Amino acid sequence: MREAAFVKQNKEKWIAFEKALSFSSTTDPDILVDGYIQLTNDLAYAQTYYDQSKTLLYLNSLASQAHQKIYKNKKESGNRIVDFWVREFPLFFKQYHRTLGIAFLIFLVASAIGSVSALNDSSFVRLILGDAYVNETLNNIANGEPTAIYKSGSEIGTFLGITINNIRVAFLAFAFGVATSIGTAYVLFSNGVMLGAFITFFYTKDVFFEANKQIWLHGTIEISVIIIAGCAGLIMGNSILFPKTFSRRVSFMKGAKAGLKVVVSTIPFFIIAGFIEGFITRYSNMPNWLAFTIIGASLFLIIYYYIIYPIKVNRTYERQIH
């Protein structure tokens, strides 16, 4: 390739990377590293074919700046953890909104299948949830408290147990991505079928409103974040199936790192869901307006942080570099 054609083909990419370096303190580190890898590939090509050229000098200079920005030793800011949730993660997650949509669609379809199955086969709920759970719930319904199961155990014990279990489910959904996206899709699908059957069971017993008012107090965040953890698994699984220009090994390592970052972001939300289930859901006699205020606030929190906020942060970043 002629040098002029090489420059024309890559000029915009180099300029964008140079701008990203100028705002390195607000740029996702993964973006800088990816840009640096591409730059060193172009530098190696220029060294082979355009020795002593101005292009080579420019790329050498840019690579040197990038190396200093990315790899220089520096103390981590005391606000590093806060920065992760406030800036770094939202800036990073915007690119995976489509994957999140796919995870949600898998879960939604599975929930519909679970619901239809429960409506048409009364034994399906027992198959999915187990006889002991169904029998206990039937007794609770007969006693006028369909969600009394949430009152069992101490508040702190329930909070800790539920939080740990939810985090375990999230990491399971992510870890199954090792078996490509099919593994994570299976976890999302099975949980979706379970939810659909569970909700429909209360509908068939004519306590749909009473039960859902309590279930979604904690379930809004809990179910949403399981789907987000499924998104993390799909990210890792897709990196195996679709390595693009990377080797499959490098692509998997990048996908695993990206997916893990998504899972880590869910931990505070699982703690919130566990707190609600342990300390709030057990109060089935709370006013309807209060219950639906908590449910609405929980839904807004998830939608804002994982969808709206990343879009806003990325728009701010794009204005800074242009």
Side-chain angles (χ1 to χ4, degrees), residues 20-275:
L21 283 178
S22 300
F23 294 94
S24 58
S25 62
T26 58
T27 302
D28 186 341
D30 288 339
I31 294 176
L32 287 178
V33 172
D34 287 346
Y36 181 68
I37 291 172
Q38 294 180 43
L39 179 66
T40 53
N41 288 337
D42 293 339
L43 176 60
Y45 187 89
Q47 287 172 333
T48 302
Y49 296 102
Y50 315 122
D51 190 27
Q52 306 300 322
S53 68
K54 291 183 179 180
T55 302
L56 180 58
L57 291 174
Y58 168 74
L59 293 177
N60 260 322
S61 173
L62 187 56
S64 177
Q65 294 176 47
H67 188 275
Q68 291 177 12
K69 292 271 189 180
I70 296 171
Y71 296 107
K72 68 179 179 180
N73 293 324
K74 62 179 181 180
K75 282 179 118 179
E76 287 286 355
S77 166
N79 294 324
R80 178 68 180 84
I81 295 176
V82 173
D83 185 65
F84 171 80
W85 272 280
V86 172
R87 185 198 60 83
E88 181 180 329
F89 178 77
L91 193 60
F92 150 85
F93 188 65
K94 165 69 167 55
Q95 63 187 303
Y96 294 114
H97 274 176
R98 182 173 177 274
T99 307
L100 177 62
I102 293 171
F104 174 74
L105 187 61
I106 293 171
F107 194 90
L108 185 65
V109 170
S111 297
I113 291 173
S115 180
V116 171
S117 299
L119 280 173
N120 291 281
D121 183 355
S122 58
S123 65
F124 184 76
V125 175
R126 291 184 177 274
L127 176 67
I128 296 297
L129 301 177
D131 287 331
Y133 186 89
V134 171
N135 291 336
E136 182 178 356
T137 303
L138 286 172
N139 288 333
N140 291 335
I141 292 172
N143 294 328
E145 290 190 283
T147 58
I149 197 166
Y150 295 119
K151 297 182 179 181
S152 60
S154 68
E155 293 176 337
I156 294 178
T158 300
F159 163 59
L160 292 175
I162 291 297
T163 299
I164 292 170
N165 181 68
N166 287 340
I167 292 174
R168 181 190 65 82
V169 172
F171 274 92
L172 186 67
F174 167 62
F176 266 55
V178 171
T180 71
S181 305
I182 297 172
T184 294
Y186 167 77
V187 175
L188 284 170
F189 191 85
S190 59
N191 277 276
V193 169
M194 188 181 300
L195 177 67
F198 178 63
I199 295 298
T200 304
F201 171 65
F202 289 107
Y203 172 78
T204 61
K205 302 304 175 184
D206 297 321
V207 289
F208 181 78
F209 178 82
E210 295 86 345
N212 276 274
K213 185 185 75 172
Q214 298 306 117
I215 291 167
W216 290 105
L217 283 172
H218 62 272
T220 301
I221 292 179
E222 185 178 291
I223 297 302
S224 298
V225 181
I226 286 174
I227 294 171
I228 293 163
C231 170
L234 292 179
I235 290 169
M236 181 165 66
N238 288 342
S239 72
I240 301 171
L241 293 175
F242 312 108
K244 298 181 180 177
T245 59
F246 300 100
S247 68
R248 206 168 294 277
R249 175 178 166 277
V250 171
S251 178
F252 170 71
M253 291 175 64
K254 286 169 60 65
K257 181 181 177 183
L260 184 60
K261 188 179 288 188
V262 175
V263 175
V264 168
S265 79
T266 67
I267 293 176
F269 295 95
F270 275 130
I271 293 173
I272 294 171
F275 177 85

